[in-house]
Amino acid sequence: LSIGATRALGQRLWIGGVVRKDFRLSLDSDSSDAGSFALPWTFAGGARYRLLPRLDVAGQVMYRTWSAVDSFLVAGGAPGADNTIDLSVGVEMVRSVMHPGHLRLRVGFRYATLPYPTFAGSQPSEIALSAGSGVRLAKDRAGLDFTLDRVWRSDGEGRKESAWLVYVAASLRP
């Protein structure tokens, strides 16, 4: 269940927010009932500001109550779960005000804590840098977007990993 809203505050500032509740998850493991547990609430808000006619800046904050799953995981022998926060900021530059969806450039930064620790008392986190673009086709009824992310994760206990992520999306509107 979720509810959200967006609002334009003038011609240069847009804000939005959402509240979401995922209820319960029943888990079957090896054909036996392993129980059920409560899923988290999500609270998020964001804003976009048109700094220049061809340049937007945006940010988002998201908070999830993953600790709702903690007692279920600890009872099963896992380290548990922690609430998470996700902070994102990015810029988007369009090449042409007349065709804003064609070959725009997006660059972003994200910091997030992750819900499942490797050991109790240490919360993993990740940092991501991203860049992407897209093209619009068929009189803006179709599009192709792509993004390249570089992600670094740490478990809070000295273990680290990094990855390159590639996203490709196609869209078609009637």
Side-chain angles (χ1 to χ4, degrees), residues 22-47:
D22 292 301
F23 291 95
R24 296 194 70 76
L25 178 69
S26 296
L27 181 63
D28 293 327
S29 179
D30 296 327
S31 301
S32 64
D33 183 11
S36 70
F37 54 89
L39 290 170
W41 283 89
T42 300
F43 304 94

Side-chain angles (χ1 to χ4, degrees), residues 9-163:
L9 302 175
Q11 294 183 356
R12 295 170 66 140
L13 178 63
W14 297 266
I15 60 170
V18 67
V19 175
R20 175 180 167 152
K21 175 58 179 154
D22 292 301
F23 291 95
R24 296 194 70 76
L25 178 69
S26 296
L27 181 63
D28 293 327
S29 179
D30 296 327
S31 301
S32 64
D33 183 11
S36 70
F37 54 89
L39 290 170
W41 283 89
T42 300
F43 304 94
R48 185 178 90 193
Y49 183 73
R50 176 141 302 143
L51 197 59
L52 299 169
R54 296 181 349 171
L55 183 67
D56 286 358
V57 177
Q60 171 186 287
V61 174
M62 187 179 318
Y63 179 77
R64 290 188 176 114
T65 61
W66 280 106
S67 63
V69 183
D70 187 66
S71 60
F72 179 83
L73 294 174
V74 169
D82 296 314
N83 295 334
T84 61
I85 190 152
D86 190 320
L87 309 167
S88 306
V89 65
V91 297
E92 180 179 72
M93 185 176 73
V94 298
R95 293 170 32 124
S96 165
V97 176
M98 298 299 291
H99 302 284
H102 188 70
L103 290 177
R104 59 186 175 245
L105 174 64
R106 286 172 259 158
V107 178
F109 171 81
R110 182 172 61 87
Y111 169 80
T113 56
L114 303 174
Y116 306 115
T118 308
F119 297 100
S122 66
Q123 187 166 20
S125 63
E126 72 180 17
I127 292 174
L129 297 174
S130 63
S133 188
V135 293
R136 293 294 164 258
L137 310 161
K139 298 183 182 179
D140 288 338
R141 292 183 182 266
L144 182 63
D145 289 279
F146 53 91
T147 303
L148 178 64
D149 284 5
R150 180 67 170 157
V151 180
W152 297 269
R153 289 185 179 153
S154 169
D155 73 349
E157 293 288 325
R159 284 182 284 295
K160 298 179 180 186
E161 66 181 355
S162 61

